[in-house]
Amino acid sequence: MPAFLDHDFLLDTGIARRLYHEVAAGLPIIDYHSHLQQGEIAERKRFRNITELWLGGDHYKWRLMRSAGVNEQLVTGAASDEDKFRAFCSVLPLAAGNPIHHWSHLELQRLFGIDLTINATNAPRIWQAANSRLAEMDCWSFLDLAKVEIACTTDDPADDLGQHAELANSALKTRVLPAFRPDAAMRCNKPDFPAYLQRLGGVAGVRITDFASLVEALAVRVRFFHAQGGRISDHAIDLALPPGEITPALCEALLSRRLSGAELSEAELGAFQRGLLQALGKVYAQQGWAMCLHIGAQRNNNRRRLNTLGPDTGYDSISDFTTSAGLADLLDALDAEDQLPKTLLFCLNPAMNEVLSTLIGAFQDGATRGKVQFGPAWWFNDHKDGNLRQLQTLAAHGVLGTSVGMVTDSRSFASYPRHEYFRRLLCRQLGQWVEAGEYPDDEEALGQIVRGVSYENAKHYFGL
């Protein structure tokens, strides 16, 4: 029986072990979607202890602790850092099958060289050993240890990217690149939307008075991001995109209503967002960028906790809205003008796996390998079974070997072992197919798939 988290963790065939240890393990990481903060990287942030590193802002772990009955004082409250850490360690053994159990142990081993099982008994020893190691580390240390070649942050169009410029001229081995996240321009019902347009227009040198000038200002910022190394945009699609034609005149009318003080209905907001995506898709295509669409989050379900703790604190879930017709029409409208950019469709609802993995095949043009991608298992799907389902579904309906692979989607500098986790599962799946006689034991072909999905495809696809 395999030991917990041993050398061959998740690798259940000889083929899988060969592929992982000889091909995947040594490859660098391209993390094309994360929520790392450029300022923290520029200042070479140090962590006062493992609680700040592990539990500071990590809503994955916060959800787990609350579900296990940990009082909020020990999650986000005023309890001491050591007490919070001990509380986490005491309940983690209950989370069998949860990826956080695997990730946390991988992080201890890979980043700190600590092989102890995380539990209440070992918590004091882990606390002391990890903190001793952290005293000699800063956030650059984690990037170096994980061999992160490229890390993309998530940045507002109005950001001056000054710290990205600092990093580009620093001694950091990892290239830290901006990614364009115009959510504030998309969510026009937000109370601060008019003020945001003033800020955006100011940095773009464009007076935003209508839809056309909004698109113009965003296009100016896309070109600015491009000059700073940006090649990727990122959009949250949290409501259904409507099917049918979305004209510039409709978008002008909707924005005019909003700027006059009215609030758009959900259907109108969906139409506005789809119209803005169509306009920006053309800008991305002209720059050779990739457009990432993160589809299916239902955010801030708990109003009481939103009011006390704010957003992104662990109260989101999977949405079950249907978006396939509107999404197809968005891609078709861009393709009809030969303006469809490289596009990644991230799916939060696993019920949409087949929907999106078949939709991508309708918009491949042969010019770019895997031009429209079914993105990796994301957020609530990022666990062992979710990753395997994503790989299997893409393989069944598309070409697995063209996938651009995994992302951390994380705010934590300790999260890079998730790439190892994904690579082990990729090798596991390929090994099982070979062992079952469903794929030949072709060392060259298997190695090409593993190298491509783990590293090379992302490098070529994004032009990095």
Side-chain angles (χ1 to χ4, degrees), residues 35-221:
H35 293 277
L36 299 180
Q37 300 299 305
Q38 54 169 304
E40 292 182 347
I41 305 173
E43 70 184 21
R44 299 191 66 160
K45 179 179 174 65
R46 288 181 174 271
F47 299 90
R48 62 181 181 269
N49 53 49
I50 192 170
T51 297
E52 184 183 13
L53 175 68
W54 261 13
L55 299 177
D58 191 335
H59 54 84
Y60 288 77
K61 292 188 179 77
W62 292 350
R63 285 172 64 98
L64 186 154
M65 293 172 74
R66 292 173 188 133
S67 296
V70 175
N71 185 278
E72 194 66 30
Q73 285 293 101
L74 290 161
V75 181
T76 63
S80 72
D81 285 350
E82 184 170 0
D83 285 345
K84 289 178 178 178
F85 178 74
R86 287 175 179 253
F88 173 69
C89 291
S90 70
V91 298
L92 189 63
L94 300 175
N98 190 307
I100 297 171
H101 190 273
H102 288 159
W103 295 342
S104 298
H105 284 91
L106 278 174
E107 289 167 15
L108 275 190
Q109 288 190 13
R110 302 298 182 260
L111 304 178
F112 299 103
I114 298 172
D115 291 328
L116 295 170
T117 300
I118 301 170
N119 55 37
T121 301
N122 289 332
R125 293 174 61 193
I126 297 171
W127 172 260
Q128 183 176 10
N131 290 343
S132 176
R133 182 81 175 92
L134 273 175
E136 304 170 351
M137 303 172 76
D138 60 30
C139 66
W140 288 19
S141 306
F142 297 106
L143 298 171
D144 287 341
L145 277 171
K147 296 194 293 187
V148 182
E149 182 176 307
I150 294 170
C152 294
T153 58
T154 301
D155 305 281
D156 187 272
D159 198 299
D160 66 7
L161 304 183
Q163 290 159 321
H164 278 279
E166 292 176 27
L167 287 165
N169 294 313
S170 74
L172 179 62
K173 296 176 184 176
T174 301
R175 291 174 61 203
V176 181
L177 303 177
F180 191 77
R181 178 85 173 213
D183 282 357
M186 304 272 297
R187 294 169 175 166
C188 64
N189 272 348
K190 294 287 186 180
D192 60 353
F193 178 70
Y196 176 75
L197 293 190
Q198 285 192 330
R199 179 177 169 231
L200 174 64
V203 298
V206 175
R207 184 167 176 265
I208 301 175
T209 58
D210 54 16
F211 186 76
S213 54
L214 171 59
V215 173
E216 180 187 358
L218 289 168
V220 168
R221 299 308 289 172

Side-chain angles (χ1 to χ4, degrees), residues 242-248 250 271 274 278 329 333:
E245 184 180 9
I246 304 294
T247 64
L250 173 60
R274 208 196 108 186
Q278 286 179 204
D329 280 358

